Amino acid sequence: MSRLPIVLLVALLLAGCATPRPAASPTELMLAAPPDAALEAAAEALMAGGYVVRHADASLGRLEAVFSRWPGYRVLVRVEARGEGSQLALTATRGGRVLPPSTLELLTAEIAARLAASD
């Protein structure tokens, strides 16, 4: 009988370890460009920065890229049409852990600069 409370205590402690990670809040960028151009600019900016685009689908508005060397970042880009322009949402992860939005500031600036230069 004395084992039951110990087993229950261990089970409760282990159950607390299995909580899911909070959802990533993406870095969002509103652009005056159409979704196809925004996705293309994002792909170009990522490739120029040393990323390898693994998957890209303009019809779904999705792009996944990974950093070609250590420390192994992964960036997921989603684009949606918003009126005349588009909304770009970027999420960065490393080792399955979500990175803070500040990690993507240079990338978002590069994407906006590429779109401004193409106008």
Side-chain angles (χ1 to χ4, degrees), residues 71-113:
Y73 296 116
R74 176 181 172 258
V75 176
L76 179 63
V77 180
R78 294 177 192 232
V79 64
E80 294 180 9
R82 297 284 183 200
E84 298 280 323
S86 57
Q87 178 180 7
L88 203 65
L90 297 102
T91 306
T93 59
R94 179 176 59 202
R97 296 177 191 247
V98 178
L99 297 173
S102 61
T103 308
L104 297 167
E105 288 176 354
L106 291 175
L107 180 61
T108 54
E110 176 69 22
I111 293 168

Side-chain angles (χ1 to χ4, degrees), residues 16-59:
C17 295
T19 57
R21 293 185 182 133
S25 59
T27 300
E28 296 182 349
L29 182 65
M30 294 300 292
L31 303 165
D36 289 345
L39 198 62
E40 184 178 343
E44 290 172 357
L46 284 162
M47 287 187 289
Y51 286 82
V52 175
V53 176
R54 293 180 63 193
H55 305 285
D57 190 338
S59 64

